[in-house]
Amino acid sequence: MLLMALFLSGHRAAHNVMPRILYALKLQPGDKFGSLEEQACILADAIKRDGGELVALFTEDRAGPLDEYKARGIDAYYLDLTRFRLKTARALTRIIEDHKIDIVHWNMQEPVRNPYLWYITLRNPSVRHQFTDHISRPANDSGAAKGLVQALKSLALRRYEKIVCVSQFIQKSHEPQSANLDVQYHFV
């Protein structure tokens, strides 16, 4: 919940309205109901109370039941975003348009080579994007991202209005390419 609270308070102050968020999670619904799954439900309730909406989108390559979310009154969907398909991209666009989504918040997705990010950007350019990075990697990609590759990565990461890092290590891996970083630590 802390991950989104920082953004939501700033968004509310600037726009005086709660956003409509598509919360894209690379998880398998129904396999478990743990911390991140419960976080989505808590966020959805809080955002709904304040006039916004959080729609859960599970993006893993195998579907699980969405019953836990629907029972809590949360619109939840499953789309396999593990490889690009035009039919899936169109379904994603329909969800965004049907729910009048303002922000897509990506969790545990590929931050740069996400073809659906770019498809949404072309089809719905007013939709904003955020990313929570949960994955540790060597800082600066061990020198692999140089020259043109680093410039392209920097351009791609600028598509996110905010990147939330769950550790300083992850933050440091993004610092050469992105300035819009926040660190929000995991907590129990």
Side-chain angles (χ1 to χ4, degrees):
M1 187 157 70
L2 202 54
L3 295 175
M4 296 283 287
L6 179 67
F7 166 74
L8 293 176
S9 62
H11 181 81
R12 179 187 285 148
H15 302 328
N16 203 23
V17 67
M18 287 298 282
R20 302 175 72 78
I21 301 166
L22 182 63
Y23 201 57
L25 300 155
K26 190 174 183 180
L27 297 173
Q28 297 164 353
D31 279 0
K32 70 177 183 71
F33 191 77
S35 60
L36 194 53
E37 296 86 355
E38 188 170 9
Q39 178 187 49
C41 293
I42 293 167
L43 282 170
D45 289 343
I47 291 168
K48 189 178 213 174
R49 274 193 308 272
D50 285 349
E53 180 180 17
L54 184 136
V55 176
L57 173 66
F58 295 92
T59 66
E60 262 300 302
D61 61 352
R62 65 185 174 109
L66 299 171
D67 302 340
E68 183 74 35
Y69 304 92
K70 294 187 182 214
R72 293 173 179 238
I74 299 168
D75 285 327
Y77 299 89
Y78 163 76
L79 290 175
D80 179 2
L81 302 186
T82 58
R83 55 189 168 162
F84 187 80
R85 291 184 189 95
L86 191 54
K87 179 180 175 183
T88 303
R90 289 181 179 141
L92 179 58
T93 299
R94 273 192 305 278
I95 293 169
I96 289 169
E97 291 170 354
D98 289 350
H99 289 277
K100 298 177 178 77
I101 296 296
D102 301 305
I103 300 166
V104 178
H105 190 99
W106 302 93
N107 279 276
M108 296 180 274
Q109 306 291 322
E110 166 57 47
V112 176
R113 294 181 305 263
N114 177 349
Y116 293 99
L117 167 79
W118 300 109
Y119 184 85
I120 294 167
T121 295
L122 293 172
R123 289 290 310 261
N124 305 80
S126 65
V127 172
R128 298 177 343 258
H129 297 268
Q130 297 182 358
F131 173 64
T132 296
D133 195 345
H134 300 263
I135 303 169
S136 296
R137 65 190 61 73
N140 301 327
D141 293 331
S142 299
K146 292 189 178 183
L148 181 60
V149 173
Q150 188 170 0
L152 290 172
K153 183 176 180 183
S154 180
L155 178 66
L157 289 175
R158 275 188 267 161
R159 182 62 190 105
Y160 299 101
E161 73 177 14
K162 184 174 298 264
I163 298 173
V164 179
C165 306
V166 299
S167 71
Q168 286 182 343
F169 184 83
I170 293 171
Q171 179 188 29
K172 289 195 184 313
S173 76
H174 287 300
E175 281 177 346
Q177 294 90 20
S178 183
N180 43 333
L181 302 170
D182 279 320
V183 177
Q184 296 291 321
Y185 299 106
H186 286 297
F187 62 95
V188 177

